[in-house]
Amino acid sequence: IQRVTDREYFQVAMREHRAFVSDAFRGRGIGDDAIVAISAPIDAGEAQTWGIVEGSLNLGALAELIDRQTLGPGVDVVLLDQHDRVIYASPALGLELLDELVDAAWVAPAGGTRAGTGYEQVTEPTGANWRLALRLSLREIDAAKWTEFRIASAWLTLALIGALALALLLAKGIS
């Protein structure tokens, strides 16, 4: 078992007697997975800390979980930490975990939107100063709108034909 006393998640929890969420980093104990460490002190009373309890969020496992969700065609997702490193990215974007997103032109500031060539993009802040960016393909949105329009038009046409047939039957019965 390797010592973790040099890790920030250990030092902050011990020194400041508070819970701590680390930056993303590569683990070195059980494997070299990209992780985020979440730690909290174990108090021994009288403002003394006996040790810490720590859990790791495996970013690869998080990516697999998110990838199983159906976001729809034309939707790309990027989750960035406060240093613009990739915590999660849709597979179509070709970004790897912990890549520094140097060209983040399509990622708007937190709480903002940006329209780009063929895309609409929304970015929202999350806890720990992270940003979640969604990029939506306008072509896919337009295609979905036209599909919905065609379906609604077909139902409206059927309703009008039914109303016309009912009106003709009622008119025939009155005369």
Side-chain angles (χ1 to χ4, degrees):
I1 296 177
Q2 291 190 329
R3 298 175 79 61
V4 295
T5 55
D6 63 320
R7 294 289 196 176
E8 186 179 24
Y9 66 81
F10 181 86
Q11 294 172 353
V12 171
M14 289 292 287
R15 180 179 61 245
E16 298 179 17
H17 308 285
R18 66 174 177 88
F20 180 76
V21 178
S22 76
D23 289 342
F25 63 95
R26 291 250 172 232
R28 64 176 183 214
I30 298 173
D32 66 347
D33 297 332
I35 60 174
V36 171
I38 302 146
S39 61
I42 300 172
D43 291 329
E46 300 294 322
Q48 292 182 343
T49 301
W50 179 77
I52 69 160
V53 61
E54 184 268 338
S56 299
L57 173 61
N58 183 314
L59 301 180
L62 176 66
E64 289 175 14
L65 179 67
I66 294 171
D67 287 343
R68 285 191 290 234
Q69 306 306 310
T70 304
L71 298 174
V75 179
D76 294 319
V77 179
V78 175
L79 179 60
L80 300 171
D81 71 7
Q82 67 272 26
H83 304 293
D84 284 339
R85 287 184 304 214
V86 175
I87 301 300
Y88 170 79
S90 296
L93 295 174
L95 300 170
E96 297 294 324
L97 288 174
L98 301 182
D99 277 355
E100 189 171 329
L101 195 60
V102 177
D103 180 22
W106 68 269
V107 178
T113 62
R114 178 173 291 142
T117 309
Y119 292 96
E120 179 70 25
Q121 184 263 316
V122 178
T123 302
E124 288 297 324
T126 68
N129 296 316
W130 292 3
R131 293 183 295 158
L132 177 66
L134 297 175
R135 184 172 72 168
L136 310 164
S137 166
L138 294 178
R139 182 180 353 195
E140 294 291 339
I141 292 170
D142 285 343
K145 283 193 294 191
W146 280 108
T147 299
E148 293 295 322
F149 175 75
R150 286 186 203 105
I151 292 169
S153 296
W155 281 109
L156 183 58
T157 301
L158 287 173
L160 287 173
I161 290 170
L164 180 60
L166 183 61
L168 287 174
L169 281 173
L170 289 174
K172 195 174 193 180
I174 293 174
S175 58

